[in-house]
């Protein structure tokens, strides 16, 4: 059974990546590992942490409803999201990583952030890059 | 029927992209459009042009053997490969683009070239980035 790893954040690009990853898991009969990674530190106050938990509860329900075999990993251990995603992909023998590309509001222009670049270059398996709805 | 567009060059990253694109086309029941684009000009002398034609003959045979519906587009019209690939993807209503990421010899480190970056950011559909064998 193949493994797909998807990077999830509670933002339009994260939702787009998750939706596509669920489709790909169904198509390939793969299991899905959802990675929600945060460096932690000053950026993550109690309110933000609670919001993240609420978003993850919605994600877990969506995964259960999809009927695919899945695992949710929430990491706050001081690493950049790219490091966590690549590490988990390698440890789980992933054959595909799905990431969302984010838009720089308010103009909506896409950017290739440092995490996306690192994942594209450093991951051992192919990377599928999807965009949030324009 | 879906359409997958793949950028092909007669180099390891082009072969990796083509191989993966054929797999994806089989998996999804999609047709495949193979784009081999060259700006032309001084870089493309007679010998290079003949070599490119020989490589494309091999590609065409491989596609025929695969049994998938396909089309091969060779373009030399002064555009950057990214422009040609994005233009053809939009004109053909592609739902996936496959590209190969190249390694900078001799160290083998991967780079995200300007064409790869433009395709990742400007293509309307998801982009699958694959690597040549290490």
């Amino acid at each position: 059974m193949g493994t797909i790893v998807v990077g999830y954040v509670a933002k339009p690009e994260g939702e787009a990546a998750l939706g596509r990853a669920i489709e790909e898991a169904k198509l390939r009969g793969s299991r899905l590992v959802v990675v929600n990674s945060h460096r932690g530190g000053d950026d993550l106050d109690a309110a933000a942490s609670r919001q993240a938990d609420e978003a993850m509860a919605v994600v877990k329900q969506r995964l259960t409803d999809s009927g695919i075999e899945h695992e949710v990993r929430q990491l706050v251990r001081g690493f950049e999201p790219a490091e966590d995603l690549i590490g988990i992909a390698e440890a789980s023998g992933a054959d595909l990583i799905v990431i969302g590309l984010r838009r720089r509001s308010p103009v909506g222009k896409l950017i290739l952030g440092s995490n996306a670049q690192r994942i594209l270059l450093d991951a051992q398996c192919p990377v599928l890059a999807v965009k949030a709805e324009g």
Side-chain angles (χ1 to χ4, degrees), chain A residues 18-87:
Chain A
L18 179 64
R20 181 65 182 228
I22 290 172
E23 280 177 35
E24 295 294 326
K26 285 182 181 169
L27 180 67
R28 298 164 198 271
S30 298
R31 78 187 184 104
L32 186 59
V33 180
V34 179
V35 180
N36 176 238
S37 166
H38 198 289
R39 286 203 63 169
D42 293 345
D43 291 350
L44 192 68
D45 60 18
S49 177
R50 197 171 53 244
Q51 273 191 345
D53 284 346
E54 285 168 8
M56 290 312 290
V58 175
V59 166
K60 285 170 192 166
Q61 187 59 52
R62 187 172 170 188
L63 289 163
T64 302
D65 292 346
S66 74
I68 54 175
E69 189 179 323
H70 65 273
E71 183 186 345
V72 174
R73 305 276 298 264
Q74 284 182 270
L75 300 99
V76 183
R77 49 180 193 179
F79 291 175
E80 291 295 330
E83 287 176 89
D84 279 330
L85 202 70
I86 291 168

Side-chain angles (χ1 to χ4, degrees), chain A residues 9 13 15 26 38 47 49 60 80 87 95 102 112 123:
Chain A
V9 285
E13 62 271 23
E15 301 298 341
K26 285 182 181 169
H38 198 289
S49 177
K60 285 170 192 166
E80 291 295 330
D95 37 32
R102 66 193 171 90
L112 212 49

